[in-house]
Amino acid sequence: MRSNAVLAGYGTWVLAGGLAVHAFPAWHMGSWSMLALGSLAAVAYGIVRHRPAHPAAWWLLALALAMFGAGHVLNDLLTTVLGRNDALPSAADALFIAMYPLAAAALLLLVRHRTGGRDRASLLDALSFTVAVAPLLWIFLIDPHVHEAGAGWPERPIAIAYPLGDVLLLAVLARLLITDRRRPAALLLAVGTAGMLVSDVLHGLRQHDGPWQVGGPYDLGWIVFYGAWGAAALHPTMAELTVSRRQLPAELDLRRLTLLMATSLVVPAALLGDALTGTVRHGLMIALCSTALFLLVLLRMSGVVARHTRALERERTLRSAGASLVAATDLDAVAAATRGLVARLVPPGAAHRAALLVPADVPTRAPLDAAAASELRSAAELDDSAAEVARGFPCALVCPLVLRDHPERASPAGWLVVAADEPVLLTLRGALDVLASLAALAVERVRLVGEMSRRDTEAYFRALVHHTNDVILIVGDDGRIRDASPSTPTVLGPGSLVGTDILDLVDPRDRGAAEHALMLAARSGVSEYSTRNYRVVRTDGTRIEVEVSYRDLRTDPSVRGIVLTLRDITEQRRLQRELADRAFHDALTGLPNRVQFQDRVERALSRLGTDGNHVRAGVLLLGLDDFSLVNDAMGHAVGDELLLAVAGRLTDMLEPPHTVARLSGDEFAVLVDDVEQGDDLEQLAEHVVEAFDAPIAAAGGLAISVSVGLAGTDSTGVSDAVGPAELLRRADLALRAAKEGGKNRWRRYEADMGLAVLDRVAVRTELREALAAGGFRVQYQPIVDLGGGRTIGFEALVRWTDPRGQVVPPSQFIPVAEQTGLILPLGAWVLDRALADLADWHRQPLRHPVRVNVNVSAHQVRTADFVAQVLDALARHRVPADHLVLEITETALLADDRQVTANLAALRRHGVRIALDDFGTGFASLDYLRVHAVDSLKIDRSFVDGMESSSRQTALVRTIVHLAHALDLPVVAEGVETPAQRDALLLVGCRLAQGYLFSPPITADDARHWLHDATSVTAAAG
């Protein structure tokens, strides 16, 4: 309403200004100023009022109006005030002429905003119309000025500039009308431009007949120009002229075809008119325009043919779409087929993304009606899955999947969303609509097939429920059973349970837990199964154990209750208890076995010293003397009877808290964990030995003696053993000493009972002395590339010769070093020596840098300063970190030690490489690869040995190699001694190896010569 009032007021203003121009010729300057200012104000007001998306075009129109108005005022000033009627050129001409490019630029901006520069056909039509009219303007307006007698340099170009500006505006006007002729704002701009062109043409023709009379009827066109442009800015549709049209460029319809035919006749008509004068004076211009017009028409027709060809290709694609969609058996296959068809419809090279969204994926924002056609939307207008499809594209076409033969259906079956550039989507819109309808048919077919399958499945599961051994109960909100499956009497007893409170079936000991579980399921509304075990009382009074699964389906209209699935697990639990009993008890005697006995020893040791009483604990290990003779002479049945009698005698004489166990064969053990006096263990051991002086009545009066080994804790209550296994080992040493001492006696563990202990002490002493005196040496075994024979590194191997001159294998002295703690200084020395030798090797020219592999112990890796030691050694010898490979065995990773994980991670961050040595010989190697990042694997020689003759060995190595390659880890095979082993490794894909086939461990100097010889050979070969 307000816009109409403003337009009415503006129209009154323009009418008043026009009347003033004609009624008061003397006030022309004020009248033109009134019209120009009113038009400028209207444009400015329209821009502010309607806020177009791109106001620059309208501001250019305002500037053009300002130029034209200023030219009118200046021209009236020159002619009316100063009396210069023949002032050509003048400053007013400059203003008039400047208006033309400004107006053309503004109108072209509007056209571009509406079309996005995509409507090539409309551009060709506008150019054709302009070229057709150009000969007329040349003949009547431009040529007279070109041949005007007496016209000089300034006058002639300026006189020609006016009609040329008119030609420019005529071309832009034709483009605007072809683009958007239905918007009132566009029509008003066209009317204003046409009025100005008419007045310009009349003005040009009038100049040939004499001076222009200000205030004549020819001024009417300029008045219309002012009024129409201002009215266009005031109309609300002016904002739409700066918004892109989301529609296809117009086809070559009858109206356009008629226009092209008419324009093509203008040039021949001009030629005919020129010829009728007797002389063809304008033949050159007519020929040029005719040629240009012919080329434009050819371009227009080629575009029509190209569009028709693409339409035929799309039609062929859609015809083949039916076969592709019919072959789809599920929704995923339908979606894949639809995406493939969209890819065929999209022009080659055009980026796009397509998705078929079924109800669970439908965009939730502003859904389309089922009867609505496809809609082009910007990415911001989409939501959820549709927005993901349009990500990275300016817009997307949303096509509802509707069955065109069933318009009564209120909602679409889904949505076809295609994201691409807007011109591509506009071109394919019709084809995608058809494809969406075909996809709707496919989706409907898949759903019908699924519904039929679901019904068949329901019938199948209904039959399963009727024949299953599990009980299915539906419980209402009141806790009473509403329905029960046919198997209920078999599990829960005879009689109907419908209407029974579910808690009445639960054993009183489990009723509270069952009530809490039901209440929790009802409150949480969890629809997933939750499983519990309860004891249940059958209707006949029998107690059974059941496994109960809860599922809340109260929101399901077909159930409306909590579904309980009960499974009788009474027999299963009995078997579990029996297996558990067998796992911790001896099958013959019923006594605790070794596993349970060790567990009780460990608990007893953990309690020592915690109560301040300084009690002792000990283990008696009993062995029946010459029991094997009983089995051999009298049979195993008598032997078993004897074992049962021995077990009974021990349990009778050693009541709790003592624990009697049978560990194996004829070996029994007694745990004593309440010893208060130092000699109580010895007295008990003596008592046990004396208890077997009497014959065993159960075995026919058979006499049997026992030997006892004793190991215990010290007087402070703290065990001097490292754990249950060590305590048993010491008791076993004592038992062996008792048997070796004549049997039928007891012995207490003493430090000199084990020769291995003495050997370990001696080795430890010699190791310490060798470490202080530099008695160790490092040798290096080459690691070679099996493919080319190139040495890529060396493994550093520590060697020791004891004081007696014997070479001690590392497998003997390394464990002692680890147990005594000497492995820490020994490992640090080996690392330092290896890095020093590596730095020395690299001082000579090498074709390829080599690495050194250094073995590190678990004790080293667990120390807090291990990382600092390694980095300090690297810096001291100036060795790059990636030239050092630390080999760790799985022993170093057995414990879940955070220090180990942190140290390895820190070293890898600094560039040090980590290799897992002896891979596959330890425990849970795959878990180590998951937790600890390593850089390479080393296959133990036990896997390589026999590869040339054993397919099983080869398969194991191939598995390790393929696993390493899948993790992008190099593999080094150790212990390669024969060419056959080398060839077998190459066949399974292992490229790196070391072993005596290539070289035994050599000294650092020999390694230097090895590298020098390899470099020389390579250089000579190159």
Side-chain angles (χ1 to χ4, degrees):
M1 192 69 181
R2 182 179 177 183
S3 297
N4 292 335
V6 173
L7 278 171
Y10 174 70
T12 303
W13 177 274
V14 173
L15 181 60
L19 292 175
V21 169
H22 290 84
F24 306 102
W27 298 350
H28 280 180
M29 185 182 302
S31 301
W32 288 119
S33 299
M34 174 181 176
L35 289 170
L37 291 175
S39 181
L40 283 172
V43 174
Y45 177 80
I47 294 173
V48 175
R49 177 74 174 85
H50 301 301
R51 298 182 180 276
H54 303 283
W58 287 100
W59 287 118
L60 278 176
L61 286 176
L63 183 58
L65 284 170
M67 290 292 183
F68 199 70
H72 263 124
V73 173
L74 184 57
N75 184 64
D76 286 346
L77 177 64
L78 293 174
T79 58
T80 305
V81 178
L82 302 179
R84 297 176 57 185
N85 293 327
D86 57 347
L88 186 69
S90 67
D93 293 314
L95 295 174
F96 282 134
I97 293 172
M99 180 274 301
Y100 290 107
L102 290 174
L107 295 177
L108 283 175
L109 273 179
L110 293 177
V111 171
R112 182 168 184 81
H113 291 322
R114 290 296 283 163
T115 64
R118 300 182 300 267
D119 196 352
R120 176 173 173 269
S122 296
L123 175 62
L124 292 176
D125 291 345
L127 290 176
S128 299
F129 176 76
T130 305
V131 170
V133 178
L136 300 179
L137 295 176
W138 173 266
I139 294 172
F140 297 105
L141 295 179
I142 300 176
D143 186 64
H145 291 293
V146 173
H147 298 90
E148 184 178 0
W153 156 246
E155 295 86 357
R156 183 174 296 167
I158 291 177
I160 294 174
Y162 282 102
L164 290 179
D166 291 335
V167 172
L168 178 63
L169 285 183
L170 180 63
V172 178
L173 175 62
R175 182 73 175 92
L176 178 64
L177 287 177
I178 292 174
T179 300
D180 205 337
R181 64 182 181 279
R182 297 183 179 180
R183 296 289 186 278
L187 291 175
L188 287 170
L189 288 175
V191 168
T193 307
M196 183 187 64
L197 292 177
V198 170
S199 292
D200 284 353
V201 171
L202 295 177
H203 178 268
L205 294 175
R206 178 65 178 171
Q207 281 185 324
H208 299 296
D209 300 331
W212 177 266
Q213 298 296 325
V214 180
Y218 304 123
D219 290 336
L220 182 59
W222 290 323
I223 296 173
V224 171
F225 165 67
Y226 282 122
W229 276 25
L234 293 175
H235 199 276
T237 58
M238 63 88 69
E240 300 176 13
L241 296 183
T242 61
V243 179
S244 176
R245 291 187 311 170
R246 286 184 173 176
Q247 64 183 39
L248 280 173
E251 297 287 346
L252 187 60
D253 52 14
L254 182 60
R255 180 182 58 82
R256 289 203 181 193
L257 187 59
T258 303
L259 178 62
L260 286 176
M261 291 174 60
T263 54
S264 63
L265 295 175
V266 173
V267 176
L271 179 60
L272 178 61
D274 203 21
L276 291 177
T277 60
T279 303
V280 180
R281 294 182 302 163
H282 307 290
L284 178 60
M285 176 56 65
I286 293 174
L288 292 175
C289 292
S290 179
T291 302
L293 184 60
F294 178 75
L295 294 175
L296 290 172
V297 172
L298 280 180
L299 288 174
R300 185 70 168 92
M301 291 300 104
S302 66
V304 172
V305 172
R307 292 180 62 179
H308 180 68
T309 302
R310 289 193 293 268
L312 290 177
E313 292 176 355
R314 290 193 294 270
E315 182 179 353
R316 284 194 293 268
T317 300
L318 291 175
R319 286 179 180 176
S320 65
S324 300
L325 293 173
V326 166
T329 57
D330 54 26
L331 292 179
D332 290 338
V334 172
T338 305
R339 290 193 298 269
L341 292 169
V342 171
R344 292 172 57 186
L345 289 173
V346 173
H352 75 284
R353 189 182 297 117
L356 191 69
L357 307 180
V358 290
D361 304 319
V362 169
T364 58
R365 185 181 300 174
L368 295 175
D369 296 332
S374 59
E375 184 172 338
L376 192 64
R377 298 184 179 183
S378 64
E381 296 176 305
L382 300 172
D383 198 5
D384 299 337
S385 300
E388 181 64 22
V389 176
R391 180 171 50 85
F393 292 93
C395 57
L397 186 67
V398 182
C399 305
L401 304 185
V402 294
L403 300 176
R404 299 183 182 275
D405 296 335
H406 298 276
E408 69 279 2
R409 300 195 178 184
S411 60
W415 306 85
L416 173 60
V417 181
V418 181
D421 290 337
E422 186 174 325
V424 175
L425 295 178
L426 291 174
T427 303
L428 299 179
R429 188 168 191 168
L432 293 177
D433 283 339
V434 176
L435 179 59
S437 65
L438 295 176
L441 287 172
V443 170
E444 187 69 13
R445 176 181 55 80
V446 169
R447 286 179 173 173
L448 289 176
V449 172
E451 178 66 18
M452 295 173 62
S453 176
R454 185 186 64 81
R455 293 181 180 179
D456 293 341
T457 303
E458 286 180 354
Y460 172 73
F461 280 106
R462 191 179 299 112
L464 286 180
V465 168
H466 280 274
H467 296 87
T468 184
N469 292 327
D470 292 348
V471 176
I472 300 176
L473 305 177
I474 299 179
V475 180
D477 291 334
D478 57 355
R480 296 188 176 275
I481 300 174
R482 290 176 36 224
D483 197 5
S485 64
S487 60
T488 302
T490 304
V491 177
L492 298 180
S496 175
L497 295 179
V498 176
T500 304
D501 193 320
I502 187 64
L503 295 178
D504 291 343
L505 301 176
V506 184
D507 188 282
R509 292 170 292 180
D510 293 341
R511 190 167 297 168
E515 183 178 8
H516 175 72
L518 272 175
M519 182 175 57
L520 184 63
R523 286 181 178 177
S524 61
V526 177
S527 61
E528 297 298 327
Y529 280 111
S530 177
T531 305
R532 302 283 191 279
N533 295 335
Y534 301 107
R535 286 163 288 193
V536 173
V537 182
R538 287 167 44 99
T539 57
D540 58 6
T542 306
R543 282 175 166 78
I544 61 173
E545 292 186 65
V546 296
E547 180 185 77
V548 183
S549 298
Y550 299 82
R551 191 174 187 183
D552 187 3
L553 295 179
R554 291 177 295 171
T555 58
D556 190 331
S558 62
V559 180
R560 298 189 182 279
I562 296 177
V563 178
L564 305 182
T565 303
L566 285 71
R567 174 173 296 175
D568 188 355
I569 59 171
T570 305
E571 183 65 17
Q572 176 184 343
R573 283 306 181 90
R574 185 190 67 78
L575 292 174
Q576 288 177 349
R577 285 191 289 269
E578 181 179 338
L579 290 175
D581 184 73
R582 291 183 179 180
F584 294 100
H585 291 81
D586 178 56
L588 176 64
T589 63
L591 295 176
N593 60 10
R594 181 181 294 274
V595 175
Q596 186 174 5
F597 183 76
Q598 287 183 332
D599 179 68
R600 292 189 180 182
V601 172
E602 184 174 3
R603 283 186 288 174
L605 293 179
S606 66
R607 292 193 301 268
L608 295 181
T610 57
D611 54 5
N613 293 327
H614 299 294
V615 297
R616 301 179 181 211
V619 170
L620 304 181
L621 198 62
L622 289 76
L624 303 183
D625 296 333
D626 301 321
F627 177 74
S628 61
L629 297 178
V630 176
N631 275 334
D632 295 340
M634 308 180 69
H636 288 280
V638 175
D640 291 345
E641 186 179 357
L642 178 61
L643 291 174
L644 286 171
V646 170
R649 181 170 294 187
L650 288 174
T651 53
D652 289 341
M653 65 180 296
L654 299 172
E655 299 179 351
H658 303 320
T659 298
V660 180
R662 182 190 178 204
L663 302 186
S664 64
D666 64 339
E667 196 171 84
F668 293 83
V670 179
L671 168 64
V672 185
D673 61 354
D674 60 350
V675 181
E676 296 184 358
Q677 301 296 328
D679 56 353
D680 286 352
L681 282 174
E682 287 82 351
Q683 293 178 6
L684 183 60
E686 181 68 27
H687 180 55
V688 169
V689 172
E690 293 175 353
F692 284 90
D693 290 341
I696 304 295
L702 184 66
I704 191 77
S705 64
V706 298
S707 298
V708 179
L710 168 63
T713 60
D714 59 22
S715 60
T716 64
V718 180
S719 175
D720 63 348
V722 295
E726 178 65 17
L727 196 60
L728 283 171
R729 190 189 70 83
R730 294 183 179 186
D732 186 62
L733 289 174
L735 174 61
R736 183 178 294 111
K739 286 182 176 290
E740 292 173 353
K743 303 179 183 178
N744 193 25
R745 68 189 64 231
W746 66 269
R747 289 291 302 272
R748 186 185 183 96
Y749 171 78
E750 297 177 0
D752 57 352
M753 286 184 174
L755 182 60
V757 176
L758 292 175
D759 289 341
R760 185 166 60 251
V761 173
V763 171
R764 179 180 60 186
T765 302
E766 292 176 356
L767 280 175
R768 193 181 302 277
E769 293 173 354
L771 189 63
F776 293 95
R777 68 185 187 278
V778 177
Q779 293 185 339
Y780 300 90
Q781 187 170 43
I783 301 173
V784 301
D785 186 343
L786 296 181
R790 181 172 61 89
T791 301
I792 67 165
F794 292 88
E795 181 179 2
L797 302 172
V798 62
R799 295 291 183 260
W800 176 43
T801 302
D802 65 10
R804 292 170 295 281
Q806 297 177 348
V807 177
V808 183
S811 60
Q812 294 185 10
F813 70 84
I814 291 297
V816 176
E818 290 182 336
Q819 294 172 4
T820 58
L822 293 176
I823 192 66
L824 297 179
L826 176 59
W829 179 84
V830 172
L831 175 65
D832 187 82
R833 182 69 264 162
L835 291 177
D837 291 338
L838 180 65
D840 182 63
W841 299 338
H842 280 89
R843 292 189 183 98
Q844 65 179 345
L846 298 178
R847 186 173 182 86
H848 300 284
V850 295
R851 300 190 297 267
V852 65
N853 290 32
V854 178
N855 294 277
V856 292
S857 168
H859 299 278
Q860 291 178 267
V861 182
R862 290 193 183 102
T863 58
D865 61 342
F866 178 65
V867 176
Q869 291 179 8
V870 174
L871 297 180
D872 180 69
L874 288 169
R876 184 167 58 253
H877 297 289
R878 298 181 180 179
V879 173
D882 60 348
H883 287 183
L884 172 63
V885 180
L886 297 181
E887 294 188 11
I888 57 173
T889 61
E890 296 172 4
T891 306
L893 308 176
L894 279 175
D896 187 11
D897 195 328
R898 295 184 178 179
Q899 187 65 52
V900 172
T901 303
N903 285 348
L904 294 180
L907 289 171
R908 293 187 79 248
R909 285 196 300 270
H910 285 88
V912 178
R913 304 185 182 187
I914 307 297
L916 189 56
D917 197 13
D918 299 336
F919 179 76
T921 60
F923 303 90
S925 300
L926 295 179
D927 190 59
Y928 304 152
L929 297 181
R930 177 183 65 84
V931 177
H932 305 281
V934 298
D935 300 290
S936 60
L937 302 180
K938 300 196 73 175
I939 302 177
D940 186 73
R941 65 174 60 246
S942 61
F943 290 97
V944 176
D945 188 21
M947 279 187 65
E948 65 275 18
S949 59
S950 172
S951 60
R952 183 180 182 89
Q953 288 289 90
T954 303
L956 287 173
V957 175
R958 180 184 292 109
T959 301
I960 296 175
V961 172
H962 287 184
L963 172 64
H965 288 174
L967 299 175
D968 198 21
L969 299 176
V971 184
V972 180
E974 296 180 313
V976 180
E977 297 181 356
T978 65
Q981 292 176 345
R982 177 196 60 198
D983 297 339
L985 288 170
L986 282 172
L987 286 177
V988 299
C990 181
R991 303 285 301 179
L992 305 177
Q994 65 184 88
Y996 277 75
L997 175 64
F998 312 105
S999 171
I1002 56 180
T1003 65
D1005 290 336
D1006 291 338
R1008 183 190 303 106
H1009 295 312
W1010 174 286
L1011 291 174
H1012 179 267
D1013 294 343
T1015 302
S1016 302
V1017 170
T1018 303

